Amino acid sequence: MDTEAVRSFVRAAELGQVRHAADELGVSQQAVSKRIAALERALGVRLFVRTPRGVELTLDGQAFLPHARTIVTGADRAVAAVRPGSRALRIDVLGLRSAQAVVLHEYWRSRPGTELDVVTLRSDDPQDAVAAVRAGEVDASFRAVTEPAALPPDVRMVHVLDSALELLVGPRHPLASARTLTPDRLRGHRIWVPGIAPRTEWGEFYDQLATAFGLRVDGTGPNFGNEVLLDALADSAGLATLVGARDRYLWPAGHDLRRIPIAGPALAYPLFLILPRTGPHPGLRAVIRHFRSLAPLPGPVWRPSWARRRSTNPPVGDPR
């Protein structure tokens, strides 16, 4: 069914004049009449009776009008859903308690009425995130491709924030009383990060971190979720893990877990956004600007190799 013909019918019925409907729709009176005539032929009924004052609905026209309004409204909503700037910005995050999601939530709260759709792709492979961006399934993804040659030319990767790592331990751990720690003091301690997936940015991150500081990062065992990990830390005198300073973790008061900042240097987990190189969603500019407005990490900072290669932030509109 021709939606413009239905729209012409609705406006003529509401205004009572074909001429007035034509003026509002920006077409000729003849064009509106032809559309309505074609609609009547398609439906096999007469919708209007012409009178000296204009047009009046037939009984069939009266029955069709509420449904025709629904068709026009649906068509307008469908167009608005994909019009640049009208559709909600859709962003993939690694987890809803991650630093990415926490900062994104702060951004949303600071801008009441902002349309934002936050999702988590069920894949550890960053190339799946790249494919989702290229296919338009998401507008951007908080993932990173660590090898520049593996990034397709029609997408780009933008560094938006460094997330500082902290050591998380139970009350009986040897480092539990420390106010701050240097990376060197973590040597010899078991840092358990269960479920590290191969070929992921975080797998590469922990490999480089362990090599740089001689740390024992243990990725063995399945990841049964944060609650199981937090229970294990609370019950252990030798187990530790690394968490982002902005990551959101909740545990029972009886666990008495300790989050200890790491400095000298700080350990930075770099947050990147993967987005289309051309025609990105207009809402991304404000999101990137918000992330980059946050205070940088103080003092010396260690970053993995792919973040050092991209250590400078081009302007938000820069195509790099």
Side-chain angles (χ1 to χ4, degrees), residues 177-277:
S177 61
R179 296 178 63 88
T180 62
L181 292 166
T182 63
D184 290 343
R185 290 191 62 189
L186 306 183
R187 288 178 185 156
H189 296 279
R190 182 188 175 201
I191 300 172
W192 191 38
V193 187
I196 294 179
R199 300 185 304 279
T200 60
E201 62 182 276
W202 57 93
E204 179 68 18
F205 174 87
Y206 284 113
D207 283 346
Q208 291 193 21
L209 179 65
T211 300
F213 297 99
L215 305 184
R216 180 189 173 196
V217 177
D218 182 1
T220 60
N223 182 5
F224 285 104
N226 291 336
E227 289 75 14
V228 172
L229 175 61
L230 298 175
D231 289 345
L233 293 172
D235 292 338
S236 173
L239 200 61
T241 195
L242 291 168
V243 297
R246 286 186 169 90
D247 293 351
R248 183 181 290 121
Y249 289 92
L250 300 174
W251 55 78
H255 279 16
D256 194 22
L257 299 182
R258 319 291 174 83
R259 298 181 68 145
I260 308 171
I262 301 170
L267 304 180
Y269 192 100
L271 301 184
F272 286 87
L273 264 179
I274 296 173
L275 63 153
R277 186 169 292 279

XYZ file of all heavy atoms in Angstrom, residues 177-277:
785
model
N 46.954 -4.484 54.396
C 47.075 -3.256 55.193
C 47.732 -2.107 54.430
O 47.836 -0.998 54.960
C 47.884 -3.535 56.468
O 49.194 -3.975 56.131
N 48.186 -2.352 53.215
C 48.877 -1.308 52.455
C 47.897 -0.224 52.011
O 46.759 -0.507 51.655
C 49.562 -1.909 51.240
N 48.357 1.036 52.058
C 47.531 2.156 51.588
C 47.661 2.316 50.082
O 46.692 2.625 49.396
C 47.924 3.450 52.304
C 47.669 3.402 53.816
C 48.117 4.683 54.479
N 47.360 5.825 54.004
C 46.208 6.230 54.530
N 45.675 5.554 55.544
N 45.583 7.282 54.053
N 48.847 2.130 49.563
C 49.112 2.110 48.120
C 50.182 1.062 47.864
O 50.903 0.650 48.792
C 49.586 3.476 47.581
O 50.822 3.819 48.218
C 48.545 4.556 47.817
N 50.314 0.664 46.607
C 51.304 -0.339 46.225
C 51.970 0.081 44.931
O 51.348 0.703 44.066
C 50.627 -1.698 46.022
C 50.044 -2.394 47.248
C 49.129 -3.534 46.810
C 51.164 -2.914 48.136
N 53.250 -0.282 44.787
C 53.906 -0.174 43.490
C 53.758 -1.517 42.778
O 53.570 -2.559 43.429
C 55.397 0.149 43.639
O 56.033 -0.934 44.333
C 55.597 1.455 44.404
N 53.830 -1.547 41.464
C 53.731 -2.828 40.762
C 54.766 -3.841 41.227
O 54.472 -5.051 41.275
C 53.940 -2.442 39.293
C 53.484 -1.028 39.209
C 53.886 -0.413 40.518
N 55.969 -3.373 41.595
C 57.017 -4.301 42.031
C 56.594 -5.096 43.267
O 57.012 -6.241 43.448
C 58.309 -3.543 42.318
C 58.961 -3.014 41.048
O 58.600 -3.503 39.956
O 59.813 -2.104 41.145
N 55.772 -4.487 44.138
C 55.363 -5.173 45.361
C 54.351 -6.288 45.098
O 54.038 -7.070 46.003
C 54.784 -4.177 46.360
C 55.820 -3.228 46.950
C 55.244 -2.457 48.114
N 54.837 -3.340 49.203
C 54.134 -2.930 50.267
N 53.772 -1.656 50.358
N 53.795 -3.774 51.225
N 53.866 -6.371 43.888
C 52.917 -7.436 43.547
C 53.620 -8.718 43.141
O 52.978 -9.765 43.034
C 52.010 -6.983 42.400
C 51.249 -5.670 42.585
C 50.340 -5.418 41.386
C 50.449 -5.665 43.875
N 54.939 -8.648 42.943
C 55.683 -9.837 42.524
C 55.593 -10.934 43.575
O 55.676 -10.680 44.776
C 57.152 -9.485 42.294
C 57.382 -8.656 41.035
C 58.832 -8.299 40.886
N 59.055 -7.413 39.739
C 60.080 -6.606 39.618
N 61.009 -6.568 40.579
N 60.206 -5.841 38.553
N 55.423 -12.153 43.079
C 55.366 -13.305 43.969
C 53.975 -13.597 44.486
O 53.748 -14.668 45.067
N 53.054 -12.688 44.309
C 51.677 -12.911 44.759
C 50.829 -13.416 43.596
O 51.002 -12.987 42.457
C 51.076 -11.616 45.310
C 51.769 -11.115 46.536
N 51.524 -11.615 47.796
C 52.713 -10.144 46.686
C 52.281 -10.985 48.681
N 53.013 -10.086 48.032
N 49.928 -14.330 43.905
C 49.054 -14.884 42.871
C 47.928 -13.892 42.574
O 47.105 -13.593 43.437
C 48.471 -16.220 43.320
C 47.587 -16.877 42.258
C 46.874 -18.091 42.820
N 45.942 -18.660 41.852
C 44.927 -19.450 42.178
N 44.735 -19.775 43.466
N 44.115 -19.927 41.255
N 47.920 -13.397 41.341
C 46.869 -12.492 40.887
C 45.948 -13.300 39.990
O 46.309 -13.677 38.868
C 47.462 -11.287 40.138
C 48.400 -10.515 41.065
C 46.353 -10.382 39.615
C 49.182 -9.421 40.370
N 44.773 -13.586 40.506
C 43.855 -14.488 39.823
C 42.848 -13.687 38.993
O 42.103 -12.866 39.535
C 43.122 -15.366 40.828
C 42.352 -16.495 40.214
C 42.717 -17.250 39.149
C 41.083 -16.993 40.648
N 41.760 -18.206 38.879
C 40.746 -18.072 39.784
C 40.215 -16.659 41.675
C 39.562 -18.798 39.931
C 39.043 -17.379 41.822
C 38.720 -18.438 40.959
N 42.859 -13.921 37.688
C 41.900 -13.292 36.771
C 41.273 -14.428 35.965
O 41.698 -14.715 34.832
C 42.584 -12.267 35.844
C 41.547 -11.514 35.029
C 43.434 -11.286 36.651
N 40.272 -15.108 36.531
C 39.740 -16.303 35.862
C 39.052 -15.967 34.547
O 38.448 -14.906 34.376
C 38.726 -16.841 36.883
C 38.334 -15.656 37.697
C 39.560 -14.800 37.778
N 39.175 -16.902 33.607
C 38.447 -16.772 32.351
C 39.078 -15.853 31.333
O 38.383 -15.358 30.435
N 40.393 -15.604 31.425
C 41.035 -14.777 30.396
C 40.927 -15.506 29.059
O 41.382 -16.636 28.925
C 42.514 -14.513 30.736
C 42.620 -13.645 31.995
C 43.213 -13.819 29.572
C 44.056 -13.362 32.420
N 40.299 -14.851 28.095
C 40.072 -15.485 26.796
C 41.209 -15.157 25.842
O 41.694 -14.018 25.816
C 38.744 -15.011 26.201
N 41.665 -16.149 25.063
C 42.726 -15.878 24.087
C 42.245 -14.934 22.994
O 41.054 -14.843 22.710
C 43.045 -17.264 23.524
C 41.803 -18.072 23.756
C 41.202 -17.553 25.018
N 43.202 -14.206 22.404
C 42.940 -13.269 21.307
C 42.019 -12.120 21.703
O 41.315 -11.561 20.879
C 42.366 -13.995 20.083
C 43.277 -15.076 19.516
C 42.694 -15.656 18.243
N 41.348 -16.178 18.453
C 41.076 -17.376 18.971
N 42.066 -18.174 19.335
N 39.835 -17.772 19.101
N 42.007 -11.784 22.993
C 41.221 -10.641 23.450
C 42.165 -9.536 23.892
O 43.340 -9.780 24.195
C 40.321 -11.020 24.640
O 41.136 -11.484 25.722
C 39.331 -12.102 24.251
N 41.646 -8.325 23.949
C 42.475 -7.206 24.389
C 42.919 -7.389 25.835
O 44.052 -7.059 26.188
C 41.697 -5.896 24.252
C 40.449 -5.838 25.122
C 39.663 -4.568 24.949
O 39.994 -3.573 25.593
O 38.691 -4.588 24.154
N 42.026 -7.924 26.694
C 42.431 -8.086 28.090
C 43.406 -9.240 28.259
O 44.279 -9.187 29.128
C 41.221 -8.231 29.017
C 40.273 -9.347 28.727
C 40.284 -10.596 29.255
C 39.152 -9.294 27.844
N 39.250 -11.339 28.757
C 38.524 -10.572 27.896
C 38.602 -8.317 27.021
C 37.388 -10.873 27.150
C 37.475 -8.627 26.279
C 36.876 -9.879 26.342
N 43.329 -10.260 27.414
C 44.340 -11.304 27.448
C 45.704 -10.755 27.084
O 46.713 -11.047 27.745
N 45.767 -9.940 26.030
C 47.015 -9.299 25.632
C 47.494 -8.326 26.703
O 48.693 -8.226 26.986
C 46.815 -8.570 24.301
C 48.037 -7.837 23.774
C 49.164 -8.771 23.344
O 48.887 -9.969 23.123
O 50.304 -8.298 23.232
N 46.561 -7.623 27.329
C 46.922 -6.665 28.375
C 47.630 -7.373 29.531
O 48.696 -6.940 29.984
C 45.664 -5.958 28.892
C 45.913 -5.045 30.066
C 46.296 -3.727 29.869
C 45.771 -5.500 31.370
C 46.534 -2.876 30.946
C 46.004 -4.669 32.457
C 46.388 -3.356 32.232
N 47.047 -8.456 30.016
C 47.648 -9.151 31.165
C 48.951 -9.841 30.793
O 49.868 -9.937 31.625
C 46.646 -10.133 31.767
C 45.585 -9.444 32.594
C 44.258 -9.440 32.189
C 45.917 -8.762 33.754
C 43.279 -8.796 32.934
C 44.956 -8.114 34.507
C 43.641 -8.127 34.097
O 42.682 -7.476 34.829
N 49.086 -10.306 29.560
C 50.360 -10.876 29.121
C 51.463 -9.819 29.178
O 52.562 -10.073 29.686
C 50.232 -11.421 27.701
C 49.504 -12.753 27.642
O 49.335 -13.375 28.706
O 49.100 -13.165 26.539
N 51.179 -8.628 28.642
C 52.184 -7.563 28.643
C 52.464 -7.069 30.056
O 53.611 -6.756 30.399
C 51.715 -6.407 27.755
C 51.683 -6.750 26.279
C 51.515 -5.519 25.397
O 51.795 -4.387 25.815
N 51.063 -5.713 24.168
N 51.442 -6.991 30.882
C 51.622 -6.541 32.263
C 52.507 -7.509 33.036
O 53.446 -7.090 33.749
C 50.263 -6.424 32.947
C 50.271 -5.988 34.416
C 50.787 -4.559 34.560
C 48.855 -6.107 35.012
N 52.233 -8.808 32.892
C 53.031 -9.809 33.603
C 54.482 -9.763 33.150
O 55.407 -9.862 33.982
C 52.443 -11.194 33.367
N 54.711 -9.579 31.856
C 56.076 -9.518 31.332
C 56.794 -8.267 31.805
O 57.972 -8.313 32.192
C 56.047 -9.552 29.795
O 55.431 -10.775 29.365
C 57.446 -9.465 29.224
N 56.098 -7.138 31.800
C 56.730 -5.866 32.152
C 57.174 -5.819 33.604
O 58.221 -5.228 33.923
C 55.773 -4.711 31.864
N 56.421 -6.446 34.516
C 56.724 -6.316 35.946
C 57.021 -7.647 36.628
O 57.176 -7.697 37.850
C 55.553 -5.621 36.667
C 55.315 -4.212 36.193
C 54.324 -3.938 35.284
C 56.126 -3.174 36.653
C 54.105 -2.634 34.840
C 55.921 -1.877 36.213
C 54.910 -1.599 35.305
N 57.115 -8.724 35.848
C 57.423 -10.018 36.436
C 56.333 -10.516 37.369
O 56.636 -11.105 38.415
N 55.086 -10.308 37.006
C 53.967 -10.679 37.865
C 53.432 -12.069 37.527
O 53.594 -12.555 36.411
C 52.837 -9.656 37.733
C 53.194 -8.195 37.994
C 51.948 -7.329 37.922
C 53.896 -8.032 39.332
N 52.799 -12.667 38.501
C 52.175 -13.970 38.325
C 50.667 -13.773 38.145
O 49.911 -13.678 39.107
C 52.447 -14.851 39.544
C 51.828 -16.244 39.464
C 51.960 -16.951 40.792
N 51.236 -18.211 40.805
C 50.929 -18.882 41.913
N 51.321 -18.409 43.085
N 50.262 -20.010 41.849
N 50.253 -13.662 36.888
C 48.842 -13.489 36.572
C 48.290 -14.845 36.172
O 48.718 -15.444 35.187
C 48.640 -12.460 35.442
C 47.154 -12.348 35.090
C 49.189 -11.098 35.859
N 47.347 -15.343 36.935
C 46.779 -16.676 36.751
C 45.381 -16.543 36.139
O 44.459 -16.047 36.791
C 46.707 -17.382 38.101
C 46.179 -18.801 37.993
O 45.889 -19.255 36.864
O 46.040 -19.458 39.047
N 45.235 -16.973 34.896
C 43.941 -16.900 34.230
C 43.229 -18.229 34.155
O 42.256 -18.366 33.410
N 43.672 -19.212 34.937
C 43.089 -20.552 34.863
C 41.714 -20.586 35.517
O 41.380 -19.777 36.372
C 43.990 -21.583 35.553
O 44.154 -21.211 36.936
C 45.344 -21.641 34.889
N 40.953 -21.571 35.086
C 39.645 -21.789 35.677
C 38.563 -21.013 34.968
O 38.804 -19.938 34.421
N 37.334 -21.539 34.974
C 36.213 -20.818 34.351
C 35.818 -19.601 35.180
O 36.061 -19.532 36.386
C 35.088 -21.862 34.342
C 35.417 -22.781 35.477
C 36.924 -22.838 35.539
N 35.207 -18.650 34.530
C 34.732 -17.452 35.204
C 33.279 -17.678 35.605
O 32.375 -17.649 34.766
C 34.866 -16.246 34.273
C 34.423 -14.952 34.936
O 34.102 -14.934 36.124
N 34.400 -13.882 34.175
N 33.043 -17.875 36.890
C 31.691 -18.096 37.390
C 31.010 -16.804 37.846
O 29.969 -16.841 38.493
C 31.714 -19.101 38.551
C 31.913 -20.519 38.109
C 33.139 -21.143 38.275
C 30.879 -21.235 37.527
C 33.322 -22.454 37.868
C 31.061 -22.544 37.126
C 32.284 -23.162 37.295
N 31.627 -15.672 37.541
C 30.998 -14.404 37.892
C 31.678 -13.715 39.059
O 32.488 -14.302 39.790
N 31.349 -12.441 39.233
C 31.991 -11.637 40.271
C 31.728 -12.157 41.675
O 32.612 -12.105 42.539
C 31.496 -10.189 40.170
C 31.992 -9.495 38.927
O 33.015 -9.869 38.359
N 31.266 -8.480 38.478
N 30.504 -12.645 41.930
C 30.174 -13.074 43.293
C 31.077 -14.219 43.742
O 31.576 -14.226 44.879
C 28.700 -13.495 43.366
C 27.712 -12.360 43.272
C 27.557 -11.802 41.865
O 28.034 -12.485 40.920
O 26.979 -10.719 41.707
N 31.321 -15.180 42.844
C 32.184 -16.315 43.191
C 33.623 -15.835 43.405
O 34.305 -16.260 44.349
C 32.128 -17.394 42.098
C 33.162 -18.481 42.348
C 30.727 -18.002 42.028
N 34.091 -14.937 42.561
C 35.443 -14.401 42.709
C 35.588 -13.656 44.027
O 36.583 -13.838 44.759
C 35.757 -13.466 41.542
C 37.092 -12.710 41.599
C 38.271 -13.685 41.631
C 37.222 -11.763 40.417
N 34.612 -12.849 44.390
C 34.686 -12.078 45.636
C 34.637 -13.002 46.851
O 35.327 -12.758 47.853
C 33.552 -11.059 45.684
C 33.566 -9.996 44.580
C 32.332 -9.113 44.670
C 34.827 -9.170 44.629
N 33.834 -14.057 46.777
C 33.800 -15.033 47.878
C 35.167 -15.683 48.056
O 35.641 -15.873 49.192
C 32.757 -16.113 47.592
C 31.328 -15.594 47.698
O 31.134 -14.493 48.252
O 30.412 -16.286 47.203
N 35.818 -16.041 46.933
C 37.131 -16.692 47.003
C 38.172 -15.755 47.611
O 39.008 -16.186 48.424
C 37.562 -17.136 45.606
N 38.136 -14.492 47.250
C 39.089 -13.526 47.818
C 38.887 -13.377 49.316
O 39.854 -13.312 50.086
C 38.920 -12.165 47.132
C 39.306 -12.078 45.658
C 38.898 -10.720 45.098
C 40.801 -12.285 45.471
N 37.635 -13.318 49.744
C 37.351 -13.132 51.169
C 37.834 -14.310 52.009
O 38.240 -14.135 53.163
C 35.855 -12.921 51.374
N 37.816 -15.516 51.424
C 38.188 -16.728 52.168
C 39.671 -17.054 52.080
O 40.137 -17.987 52.758
C 37.388 -17.925 51.637
C 35.909 -17.815 51.954
O 35.575 -17.080 52.900
O 35.101 -18.439 51.244
N 40.432 -16.301 51.259
C 41.820 -16.679 50.996
C 42.799 -15.719 51.656
O 42.570 -14.508 51.731
C 42.074 -16.695 49.483
O 43.437 -16.905 49.200
N 43.940 -16.287 52.092
C 45.019 -15.470 52.650
C 46.095 -15.196 51.612
O 47.070 -14.500 51.907
C 45.638 -16.174 53.859
N 45.930 -15.716 50.390
C 46.980 -15.524 49.394
C 46.490 -15.149 48.013
O 47.292 -14.995 47.099
N 45.190 -14.997 47.869
C 44.615 -14.727 46.558
C 44.346 -13.234 46.385
O 43.900 -12.559 47.313
C 43.307 -15.503 46.408
C 42.776 -15.746 44.995
C 43.765 -16.550 44.176
C 41.434 -16.483 45.076
N 44.619 -12.710 45.187
C 44.349 -11.306 44.867
C 43.863 -11.220 43.434
O 44.036 -12.158 42.647
C 45.610 -10.461 45.048
N 43.251 -10.114 43.087
C 42.883 -9.861 41.699
C 43.055 -8.377 41.419
O 43.291 -7.574 42.333
C 41.443 -10.317 41.395
O 41.261 -10.374 39.978
C 40.411 -9.368 41.994
N 42.948 -8.008 40.154
C 43.050 -6.614 39.740
C 41.691 -6.150 39.224
O 41.027 -6.862 38.466
C 44.106 -6.450 38.641
C 45.564 -6.660 39.079
C 46.481 -6.763 37.867
C 46.019 -5.523 39.995
N 41.303 -4.955 39.653
C 40.030 -4.383 39.223
C 40.259 -2.932 38.834
O 41.222 -2.287 39.269
C 38.960 -4.461 40.339
C 38.644 -5.903 40.691
C 39.395 -3.688 41.577
N 39.385 -2.410 38.000
C 39.465 -1.008 37.628
C 38.984 -0.117 38.766
O 38.045 -0.464 39.497
N 39.626 1.035 38.910
C 39.254 1.949 39.987
C 37.809 2.411 39.861
O 37.160 2.730 40.863
C 40.189 3.161 39.990
N 37.291 2.463 38.633
C 35.909 2.886 38.426
C 34.951 1.705 38.290
O 33.740 1.917 38.185
C 35.800 3.772 37.170
C 36.356 5.180 37.354
C 36.059 6.016 36.109
N 36.318 7.419 36.301
C 37.478 8.018 36.068
N 38.507 7.297 35.638
N 37.624 9.312 36.270
N 35.463 0.477 38.272
C 34.576 -0.680 38.190
C 33.705 -0.745 39.440
O 34.154 -0.422 40.545
C 35.378 -1.979 38.071
C 36.126 -2.079 36.752
O 35.896 -1.236 35.872
O 36.961 -2.999 36.625
N 32.473 -1.179 39.272
C 31.535 -1.260 40.396
C 31.456 -2.698 40.892
O 31.041 -3.594 40.163
C 30.156 -0.762 39.958
C 29.138 -0.742 41.094
C 27.775 -0.259 40.626
N 27.796 1.159 40.312
C 27.504 1.655 39.128
N 27.195 0.837 38.131
N 27.516 2.954 38.907
N 31.873 -2.904 42.139
C 31.777 -4.214 42.780
C 31.062 -4.059 44.111
O 31.319 -3.100 44.863
C 33.164 -4.815 43.031
C 33.881 -5.262 41.776
C 34.737 -4.401 41.098
C 33.693 -6.542 41.267
C 35.387 -4.806 39.942
C 34.339 -6.956 40.112
C 35.183 -6.089 39.458
O 35.812 -6.480 38.313
N 30.184 -4.996 44.416
C 29.474 -5.009 45.694
C 29.697 -6.354 46.357
O 29.665 -7.399 45.699
C 27.976 -4.781 45.473
C 27.568 -3.459 44.800
C 26.071 -3.451 44.528
C 27.970 -2.269 45.650
N 29.926 -6.337 47.681
C 30.117 -7.590 48.400
C 29.562 -7.438 49.812
O 29.392 -6.317 50.321
C 31.603 -7.971 48.443
C 32.506 -6.910 49.021
C 32.704 -6.587 50.340
C 33.338 -6.001 48.271
N 33.592 -5.574 50.469
C 34.011 -5.187 49.222
C 33.601 -5.821 46.911
C 34.908 -4.204 48.842
C 34.488 -4.842 46.529
C 35.135 -4.041 47.486
N 29.263 -8.556 50.477
C 28.747 -8.485 51.848
C 29.754 -7.821 52.779
O 30.970 -7.959 52.600
C 28.535 -9.958 52.222
C 28.416 -10.672 50.910
C 29.291 -9.930 49.956
N 29.260 -7.113 53.788
C 30.142 -6.394 54.718
C 31.120 -7.346 55.407
O 32.259 -6.970 55.703
C 29.302 -5.650 55.755
N 30.699 -8.572 55.634
C 31.566 -9.530 56.308
C 32.776 -9.947 55.501
O 33.743 -10.482 56.060
N 32.778 -9.704 54.194
C 33.937 -10.039 53.359
C 35.135 -9.142 53.686
O 36.282 -9.580 53.568
C 33.589 -9.889 51.875
C 32.862 -11.069 51.311
N 32.254 -12.029 52.084
C 32.645 -11.441 50.010
C 31.703 -12.936 51.307
N 31.925 -12.614 50.044
N 34.874 -7.903 54.054
C 35.939 -6.952 54.418
C 37.056 -6.898 53.371
O 38.247 -6.893 53.687
C 36.527 -7.328 55.792
C 37.388 -6.200 56.373
O 37.199 -5.035 55.963
O 38.257 -6.505 57.207
N 36.677 -6.852 52.099
C 37.675 -6.786 51.038
C 38.315 -5.396 50.989
O 37.716 -4.394 51.373
C 37.037 -7.121 49.680
C 36.417 -8.518 49.550
C 35.867 -8.724 48.151
C 37.434 -9.600 49.880
N 39.538 -5.332 50.487
C 40.292 -4.074 50.419
C 40.649 -3.768 48.967
O 41.206 -4.609 48.265
C 41.584 -4.178 51.241
C 41.440 -4.915 52.586
C 40.627 -4.153 53.593
N 40.384 -4.914 54.803
C 41.235 -5.020 55.828
N 42.431 -4.438 55.751
N 40.911 -5.721 56.904
N 40.364 -2.543 48.533
C 40.796 -2.053 47.217
C 41.985 -1.140 47.447
O 41.875 -0.116 48.134
C 39.668 -1.294 46.515
C 38.461 -2.142 46.225
C 37.363 -1.362 45.495
N 37.751 -1.002 44.146
C 36.904 -0.953 43.120
N 35.617 -1.234 43.298
N 37.314 -0.608 41.915
N 43.128 -1.516 46.880
C 44.378 -0.801 47.147
C 44.881 -0.166 45.851
O 45.163 -0.877 44.874
C 45.443 -1.754 47.715
C 44.883 -2.521 48.923
C 46.694 -0.972 48.098
C 45.781 -3.638 49.401
N 45.013 1.160 45.800
C 45.515 1.822 44.593
C 46.952 1.398 44.282
O 47.743 1.089 45.180
C 45.441 3.313 44.943
C 44.450 3.393 46.057
C 44.597 2.123 46.839
N 47.274 1.400 43.003
C 48.623 1.052 42.530
C 49.207 2.291 41.862
O 48.571 2.914 41.014
C 48.588 -0.121 41.549
C 47.956 -1.348 42.223
C 49.984 -0.454 41.028
C 47.666 -2.485 41.264
N 50.435 2.657 42.261
C 51.090 3.841 41.697
C 52.582 3.598 41.618
O 53.120 2.696 42.257
C 50.791 5.073 42.545
N 53.232 4.448 40.828
C 54.682 4.394 40.712
C 55.253 3.269 39.857
O 56.204 2.619 40.302
N 54.724 2.996 38.659
C 53.678 3.742 37.946
C 52.281 3.191 38.195
O 52.110 2.068 38.665
C 54.071 3.517 36.486
C 54.613 2.116 36.483
C 55.362 1.984 37.790
N 51.281 4.017 37.864
C 49.913 3.525 37.816
C 49.780 2.571 36.644
O 50.471 2.709 35.630
C 48.948 4.701 37.645
N 48.925 1.575 36.792
C 48.682 0.608 35.732
C 47.394 1.006 35.017
O 46.310 0.965 35.608
C 48.567 -0.802 36.303
C 49.771 -1.269 37.135
C 49.542 -2.695 37.644
C 51.064 -1.180 36.327
N 47.508 1.402 33.762
C 46.362 1.940 33.029
C 45.797 0.908 32.070
O 46.514 0.414 31.191
C 46.773 3.192 32.261
N 44.525 0.596 32.266
C 43.810 -0.198 31.263
C 43.162 0.796 30.311
O 42.259 1.536 30.693
C 42.755 -1.089 31.909
C 42.206 -2.123 30.956
C 42.661 -3.425 30.998
C 41.267 -1.783 29.991
C 42.191 -4.376 30.101
C 40.792 -2.717 29.092
C 41.254 -4.008 29.158
O 40.797 -4.941 28.268
N 43.614 0.837 29.050
C 43.106 1.865 28.127
C 41.724 1.515 27.598
O 41.475 0.379 27.192
C 44.151 1.864 27.010
C 44.661 0.451 26.996
C 44.621 -0.034 28.422
N 40.841 2.476 27.617
C 39.504 2.294 27.072
C 39.429 2.937 25.691
O 39.739 4.124 25.531
C 38.452 2.914 27.998
C 38.404 2.378 29.425
C 37.245 3.009 30.186
C 38.307 0.864 29.451
N 39.034 2.155 24.712
C 38.892 2.616 23.337
C 37.456 2.438 22.877
O 36.732 1.565 23.362
C 39.804 1.804 22.396
C 41.256 2.143 22.496
C 42.068 1.519 23.431
C 41.830 3.065 21.636
C 43.418 1.816 23.522
C 43.175 3.373 21.708
C 43.971 2.752 22.652
N 37.062 3.272 21.931
C 35.788 3.107 21.244
C 36.061 2.744 19.786
O 36.860 3.418 19.122
C 34.974 4.393 21.283
C 33.907 4.549 22.370
C 33.230 5.906 22.236
C 32.875 3.434 22.310
N 35.416 1.701 19.309
C 35.445 1.360 17.891
C 34.173 1.937 17.271
O 33.068 1.696 17.762
C 35.511 -0.159 17.687
C 36.818 -0.719 18.255
C 35.376 -0.525 16.223
C 36.906 -2.237 18.244
N 34.317 2.720 16.202
C 33.181 3.377 15.576
C 33.414 3.513 14.080
O 34.552 3.384 13.612
C 32.932 4.749 16.194
C 34.024 5.815 16.051
C 33.411 7.205 16.087
C 35.043 5.696 17.187
N 32.365 3.780 13.293
C 32.558 3.936 11.847
C 33.449 5.134 11.523
O 33.380 6.173 12.198
C 31.129 4.168 11.321
C 30.233 3.648 12.393
C 30.957 3.864 13.686
N 34.265 5.001 10.505
C 35.138 6.109 10.117
C 34.337 7.246 9.484
O 34.687 8.413 9.633
C 36.215 5.618 9.139
C 37.253 6.674 8.784
C 38.420 6.093 8.045
N 39.224 5.220 8.893
C 40.144 5.654 9.761
N 40.376 6.950 9.891
N 40.841 4.793 10.479
